[in-house]
Amino acid sequence: MPKAIKPKQLPLRLNRVGKTDVRTQFAALCYRVRKNKVEVCIVTTRRTKRWILPKGWPMHKQTPAQAAATEAWEEAGLTGKAYDRCLGVYTYQKTIGTEVLPVITLVYPVKITAVHSDWPEAHQRRRKWVSLSKAASKVKEPELKRIIASFTPAMVKR
């Protein structure tokens, strides 16, 4: 019997909603290489202070990668080169008012070239540079854990 191939992308869970009820966001996997080790920047959410990647809604006249880079600036004060290569997709539940909305988030790599001391959401969030394994252990969503843990800078060149 042939050996089963493990998919890189985990199956999505939409938790009892129709596929037309799902919202889309774009996330930035902000990375840099220090002393030959890859570091990833994670930020806290505004409300619950969980660790996440910077992410947000689609933006007019921006590609998904550009929107992810905009979120990296707004939420983490980071600028760099965004790559138009989706690393993977994860799902989560977002509470807006009294509504709980299912969200599918596409993750794009952003190679960071500048870390700024002041940025739009600096007083609402914390940012932290950590190893890939530490970042994967701090985020909640299983699919996002896998995307982060399996990332290498070589992936952006494919």
Side-chain angles (χ1 to χ4, degrees), residues 124-153:
Q124 300 169 22
R125 299 178 188 273
R126 286 180 50 217
R127 74 174 172 211
K128 187 175 200 173
W129 286 97
V130 295
S131 67
L132 291 166
S133 60
K134 179 80 131 198
S137 74
K138 291 203 171 277
V139 299
K140 176 181 158 188
E141 300 79 9
E143 304 107 328
L144 180 56
K145 288 178 181 291
R146 187 169 179 149
I147 292 165
I148 293 170
S150 65
F151 175 75
T152 67

Side-chain angles (χ1 to χ4, degrees), residues 6-12 86-91 143 146-147:
K6 286 187 181 180
K8 289 185 180 184
Q9 173 67 53
L10 291 178
L12 302 177
C86 182
L87 298 172
V89 178
Y90 72 95
T91 59
E143 304 107 328
R146 187 169 179 149
I147 292 165

